[in-house]
């Protein structure tokens, strides 16, 4: 089994992969706020999360959200928080996808006291 990525490396990969996803969405005609674009970013977060430590999820989700909000929902990299509740749900969804994948891929070893090491 390989060592999970550190949180900083996971964030860097999430930012790079989020930027790389934009041309694919453009070719598909999905550079607009649809469920397809959000699902694509959630899948990206899950893919990065599966190779990362669970503690990296709070970095992976917002990294993907920056590109989703700036280039998919609002054009030309302009972030907009006109609907803060909806944006909070998007960040939570993307972060949850990364966390769920990271937890599913985490080693199953237990530590003294019956606790899982979520930071490892």
């Amino acid at each position: 089994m390989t060592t999970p990525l550190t949180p900083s490396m996971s964030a860097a990969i999430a930012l790079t992969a989020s930027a790389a996803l934009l041309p694919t969405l453009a070719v598909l005609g999905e550079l607009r706020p649809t469920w397809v674009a959000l699902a694509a970013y959630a899948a990206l977060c899950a893919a990065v999360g599966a190779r990362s430590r669970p503690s990296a999820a709070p970095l992976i989700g917002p990294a993907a959200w920056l590109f989703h909000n700036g280039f998919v929902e609002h054009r030309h990299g302009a972030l907009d928080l006109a609907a803060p509740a909806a944006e909070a749900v998007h960040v939570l969804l993307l972060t949850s996808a990364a966390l769920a994948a990271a937890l599913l891929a985490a080693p199953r070893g237990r530590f003294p006291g019956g606790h899982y090491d979520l930071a490892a």
Side-chain angles (χ1 to χ4, degrees):
M1 176 153 207
T2 62
T3 304
L5 297 172
T6 62
S8 59
M9 183 58 74
S10 298
I13 290 172
L15 284 168
T16 304
S18 294
L21 181 59
L22 288 171
T24 304
L25 290 173
V27 168
L28 296 173
E30 292 297 332
L31 278 183
R32 52 199 170 102
T34 63
W35 67 269
V36 174
L38 188 59
Y41 274 100
L44 180 141
C45 288
V48 175
R51 302 289 301 151
S52 304
R53 294 182 170 115
S55 59
L59 300 173
I60 296 169
W65 174 82
L66 287 172
F67 283 89
H68 182 265
N69 184 283
F71 293 100
V72 176
E73 290 186 14
H74 311 98
R75 306 297 266 181
H76 311 295
L79 296 176
D80 187 12
L81 295 174
E87 296 308 325
V89 169
H90 290 165
V91 173
L92 183 61
L93 173 78
L94 297 172
T95 303
S96 298
L99 181 61
L103 289 174
L104 288 173
R108 298 291 181 241
R110 287 192 154 227
F111 290 85
H115 299 287
Y116 286 100
D117 184 14
L118 297 179

